[in-house]
């Protein structure tokens, strides 16, 4: 069933994906299969964010938190990233900024760090804090150049 959801998502049929996902989500036994349940929660978060149902996405993301492996920094950072996107979309800029800065202090991969820096830049521009935004943008550009140089050398 989860594969069907992915197929619907990939074809842009979000209503069908949501309907299928909710059918699975509402089954009592789905929580017994942790891996499938977490994948379903991921899919629901993606669908809700894409459809701009941000409060629903926040609710699912909070439920997902209990399944995040706190020893896996990429899992933790991905969760913070989702939460930051949702808070930003809800107009909760300070909370979004806190989530983004949590990622920066949690040993992100260079790619995650560059994505986070660019999102912080956008948030600061939205808040008319162009001086701080420029600092983050400069850091992001330097990091992206390092990433690109590393890829060229491989």
């Amino acid at each position: 069933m989860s594969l069907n959801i992915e197929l619907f998502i990939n074809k842009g049929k979000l209503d069908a994906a949501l309907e299928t996902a909710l059918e699975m989500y509402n089954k009592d036994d789905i929580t017994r299969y942790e891996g499938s349940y977490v994948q379903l929660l991921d899919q629901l978060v993606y669908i809700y964010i894409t459809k701009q149902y941000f409060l629903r996405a926040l609710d699912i993301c909070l439920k997902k938190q209990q399944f995040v492996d706190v020893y896996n920094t990429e899992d933790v950072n991905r969760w913070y990233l989702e939460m930051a996107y949702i808070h930003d979309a809800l107009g909760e800029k300070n909370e979004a900024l806190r989530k983004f800065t949590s990622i920066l202090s949690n040993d992100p991969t260079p790619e995650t760090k560059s994505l986070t820096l660019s999102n912080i830049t956008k948030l600061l521009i939205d808040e008319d804090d162009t001086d701080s935004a420029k600092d983050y943008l400069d850091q992001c550009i330097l990091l992206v150049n390092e990433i690109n140089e590393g890829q060229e050398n491989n």
Side-chain angles (χ1 to χ4, degrees):
M1 190 70 89
S2 186
L3 181 59
N4 290 342
I5 298 167
E6 283 298 318
L7 290 172
F8 286 135
I9 289 172
N10 291 337
K11 291 185 177 203
K13 297 182 177 190
L14 293 179
D15 290 332
L18 180 58
E19 181 181 331
T20 305
L22 288 175
E23 283 176 24
M24 288 183 65
Y25 182 75
N26 291 322
K27 291 185 178 179
D28 291 333
D29 64 342
I30 187 67
T31 56
R32 291 190 342 218
Y33 308 101
E34 187 174 312
S36 296
Y37 184 62
V38 171
Q39 182 181 13
L40 178 62
L41 294 178
D42 283 338
Q43 291 167 329
L44 280 168
V45 168
Y46 175 82
I47 294 165
Y48 283 145
I49 288 173
T50 304
K51 291 181 74 61
Q52 299 182 358
Y53 299 160
F54 299 116
L55 288 175
R56 291 179 186 172
L58 179 61
D59 180 53
I60 297 297
C61 214
L62 289 170
K63 288 179 181 173
K64 186 178 134 181
Q65 181 181 16
Q66 66 184 312
F67 299 101
V68 174
D69 179 357
V70 296
Y71 299 106
N72 183 324
T73 57
E74 273 309 294
D75 283 354
V76 172
N77 289 339
R78 193 172 316 115
W79 182 81
Y80 275 124
L81 195 58
E82 289 172 339
M83 291 294 290
Y85 285 145
I86 294 166
H87 285 295
D88 183 23
L90 290 171
E92 300 168 353
K93 305 296 184 185
N94 289 335
E95 188 61 28
L97 189 57
R98 267 203 324 264
K99 299 294 190 228
F100 285 132
T101 55
S102 293
I103 294 169
L104 294 179
S105 65
N106 194 34
D107 193 31
T109 63
E111 292 78 8
T112 300
K113 185 174 182 179
S114 68
L115 180 61
T116 303
L117 290 169
S118 69
N119 278 288
I120 291 173
T121 301
K122 179 204 169 290
L123 266 179
L124 294 171
I125 290 170
D126 289 349
E127 296 298 307
D128 291 325
D129 186 353
T130 53
D131 291 335
S132 296
K134 184 183 178 319
D135 292 339
Y136 280 97
L137 180 60
D138 289 342
Q139 291 177 54
C140 184
I141 290 170
L142 286 172
L143 182 56
V144 169
N145 287 337
E146 288 175 21
I147 292 169
N148 289 337
E149 287 173 11
Q151 290 174 348
E152 289 173 5
N153 293 332
N154 288 334

